[in-house]
Amino acid sequence: MKDKTEGKWDEAKGKIKEETGKAVGDRSTEISGKMDQAKGHMKEGVGNAKRDLGVDEPERTETPR
């Protein structure tokens, strides 16, 4: 689940950077945003693969004291 959450965050952050770069004419920021989005897609894919294989991170449970 962590990979999917981080992936979604990277995608959103990348979209904002891309649009900001377009708006101000900064090609470097625009490209950086596209790279963040690609990284997010990859992380999300890893999360989906882990879920499908059943190797997702175990949920944390608190131990009784």
Side-chain angles (χ1 to χ4, degrees), residues 33-48:
K34 288 182 180 185
M35 290 174 63
D36 284 345
Q37 289 178 69
K39 181 173 77 169
H41 286 300
M42 287 177 26
K43 279 186 183 178
E44 193 173 355
V46 167
N48 288 335

Side-chain angles (χ1 to χ4, degrees), residues 12-48:
K13 177 179 69 173
K15 188 65 177 174
I16 291 168
K17 283 171 76 173
E18 178 187 4
E19 294 302 320
T20 301
K22 284 180 183 178
V24 298
D26 184 350
R27 186 84 171 124
S28 176
T29 300
E30 183 180 346
I31 291 169
S32 176
K34 288 182 180 185
M35 290 174 63
D36 284 345
Q37 289 178 69
K39 181 173 77 169
H41 286 300
M42 287 177 26
K43 279 186 183 178
E44 193 173 355
V46 167
N48 288 335

Side-chain angles (χ1 to χ4, degrees), residues 3-13 40-41 43-44:
D3 292 308
K4 287 186 70 168
T5 303
E6 287 179 4
K8 288 286 188 189
W9 169 248
D10 286 335
E11 287 177 35
K13 177 179 69 173
H41 286 300
K43 279 186 183 178
E44 193 173 355

